[in-house]
Structure formats: C-alpha cells, structure tokens
Amino acid sequence: MHVAENLQNIRSTIRQACEKTGRNPDDITIIGVTKYVTIERTEETIAAGINNLGENRSEGFLEKYNHFRDRATWHFIGSLQSRKVKDIIDKVDTIHSLDRVSLAKEIDKRADHVIDCFVQVNTSGEESKHGLSKGAVIPFIDSLATFQHIRVVGLMTMAPHVDDEHVLRNTFRQLADLRDTIQQRDLKYAPCNYLSMGMSNDYHIAVEEGATHIRVGSKLVGSGNE
Ligand SMILES: *Cc1c(COP(=O)(O)O)cnc(C)c1O
C-alpha cells in the first residue's frame, strides 16, 4: 500500500475517534515511525504530508536525519543510551524516552538549548519495557528542576502487547490522569501538556483517551517488506 492511502485511513480513524469524544483532529500529531523502512519509503512518507518522523535507534536516526535534515521534525522515541546523547542532541527536536536522572544529566550537559522531552512511563509493568513506574514519575520530575536544558512537555508510554481493549483504555486513561496531576502543578520546566501514546494497533483508543502525539509505524509506512 502507498503511504498516502495508509495515511488517509489513519486520518479517517482519528476523525472518528475525535467525533466520538469531542476532540479536534488538529490537536493530534502523527509521528511517522520510519525505523523499519528505507530512505525511499521515508521520502514517500514526507511526500504524503507527514513531517514528524520518529526513530528508535541512534544509527537509524542519524541515517534518516543526515538525508532529510530540516525537511522533517525529528523525534527520538527509543530507549536512549547516555553515551549516544552527544550524537543526536543537536539534531533532535523531541526526545520521548527520558526515564532516568543520569540521562537527564547527559542531555543537560550536551544540549546548547532547551530540549523538549517526554518522560517515559512503564504502564504495563513488563520488565522488558523501559520507563518509570507510575509512582516514580512525580519524584523524578521534581528531580529535574535544576536542569536548564530540559523541558518536560508530556508523558509517553508503550501500552502492553495485548488485544484487550479494556486493558489498553485503562492504560491510556492512567497516563492521562498522571499528566493532569503534573500539569496542575504548573511547573515552568514541566508544563506537561502532551501525551505520546498509541501505536499502529491501539492509536484509535489512545486518541479517544487524549493522545496528542501518536507514533505510527507499520500501519503507515509498512514493516519493511514493501
Ligand atoms: C516501533 C515503535 C513504534 C511504532 O510501532 P508500530 O506498532 O509499528 O506502529 C512506536 N513507538 C515506539 C517507541 C517504537 O519503538
């Protein structure tokens, strides 16, 4: 399938989810996750109208970034090793995977401007997933107050790998509640207005539950066999 057709389907699903819940589709940013696909397919993605791109490894990120540069807004969505921060920090627009103080320190040290970050939350409790437990999020955000170059723009999660709609909805709702709590604290360095949640299989539910950024790979660009 062409990216443009996939995008049409995704937009129509977003529209339905928004109609159901009284949201405005313009409030949802679609991040095209290009980690599975080639430069050519990424070119097609940009041509289809997606200008927010996400990569989960620094090597893939640099390959795409070096090719497309300012033709896209760049999201780093995967777990980030501290030693890789220096490679991507002056290229990335938003980091979705801030999950520890040592990483915050490295970002703060290497960045020459304020970097928008999502704090990654492990809502599934699966050990294989990165991110902070829900209970650790607020103390973690408190510990970021002294970093000049970090702004917490929202929370990010990867939902558990299940089909149970109830479980997924509950996961997204919990992240939204946590976001509300942080937002109400009105911290200058942590406005926390956004929710990065929802992937190919669950973005329709995430949008109903308030996602502002969805990260869609396989349903948008395919999974690399195109
Ligand atoms: C790969 C990836 C996605 C996209 O996954 P799909 O299921 O293909 O849409 C989203 N978020 C993160 C963090 C990823 O690593």
Side-chain angles (χ1 to χ4, degrees):
M1 282 279 262
H2 293 298
V3 176
E5 287 171 67
N6 293 338
L7 181 56
Q8 230 171 21
N9 292 332
I10 291 166
R11 285 206 200 282
S12 130
T13 302
I14 292 174
R15 212 157 37 236
Q16 285 167 31
C18 284
E19 269 166 26
K20 222 167 133 181
T21 50
R23 299 193 63 202
N24 181 349
D26 293 343
D27 293 339
I28 293 138
T29 299
I30 303 170
I31 299 169
V33 177
T34 50
K35 67 187 186 196
Y36 314 108
V37 302
T38 59
I39 293 284
E40 291 70 31
R41 189 70 168 172
T42 306
E43 186 74 61
E44 190 190 333
T45 305
I46 293 176
I50 293 288
N51 44 26
N52 284 274
L53 297 181
E55 285 281 333
N56 71 333
R57 301 179 64 92
S58 56
E59 296 77 14
F61 175 87
L62 290 170
E63 186 202 349
K64 299 289 188 346
Y65 176 86
N66 286 329
H67 190 87
F68 295 103
R69 304 253 167 181
D70 59 5
R71 294 175 59 202
T73 297
W74 296 96
H75 300 261
F76 194 88
I77 61 171
S79 71
L80 181 55
Q81 291 173 277
S82 295
R83 64 189 174 85
K84 300 285 176 73
V85 167
K86 62 179 182 316
D87 302 336
I88 66 157
I89 198 68
D90 58 344
K91 305 175 171 72
V92 73
D93 294 288
T94 305
I95 295 173
H96 289 244
S97 48
L98 179 58
D99 64 354
R100 56 195 193 277
V101 175
S102 57
L103 179 59
K105 268 192 184 139
E106 184 66 12
I107 293 170
D108 192 58
K109 178 172 140 192
R110 301 284 180 180
D112 63 4
H113 63 282
V114 177
I115 305 287
D116 284 349
C117 298
F118 285 84
V119 168
Q120 184 169 353
V121 185
N122 182 345
T123 46
S124 69
E126 290 165 32
E127 288 206 8
S128 60
K129 296 234 162 66
H130 294 270
L132 293 150
S133 68
K134 283 183 296 243
V137 172
I138 288 178
F140 176 68
I141 288 179
D142 285 341
S143 74
L144 300 177
T146 56
F147 296 125
Q148 303 293 313
H149 294 139
I150 289 180
R151 176 165 49 224
V152 178
V153 295
L155 302 180
M156 177 274 212
T157 200
M158 290 175 85
H161 214 79
V162 296
D163 291 326
D164 187 335
E165 184 175 324
H166 179 76
V167 171
L168 294 168
R169 195 174 289 286
N170 208 34
T171 299
F172 295 140
R173 205 164 277 181
Q174 285 180 19
L175 198 73
D177 286 346
L178 190 52
R179 189 272 318 263
D180 293 348
T181 303
I182 298 161
Q183 207 177 26
Q184 279 158 18
R185 300 177 69 191
D186 217 9
L187 302 169
K188 240 203 177 74
Y189 69 94
C192 208
N193 295 319
Y194 299 142
L195 285 169
S196 171
M197 59 187 194
M199 307 175 18
S200 287
N201 291 324
D202 54 24
Y203 72 90
H204 56 294
I205 304 170
V207 169
E208 287 182 15
E209 297 302 329
T212 59
H213 295 67
I214 59 174
R215 310 177 309 269
V216 190
S218 42
K219 286 250 172 86
L220 178 66
V221 299
S223 44
N225 306 311
E226 290 62 36

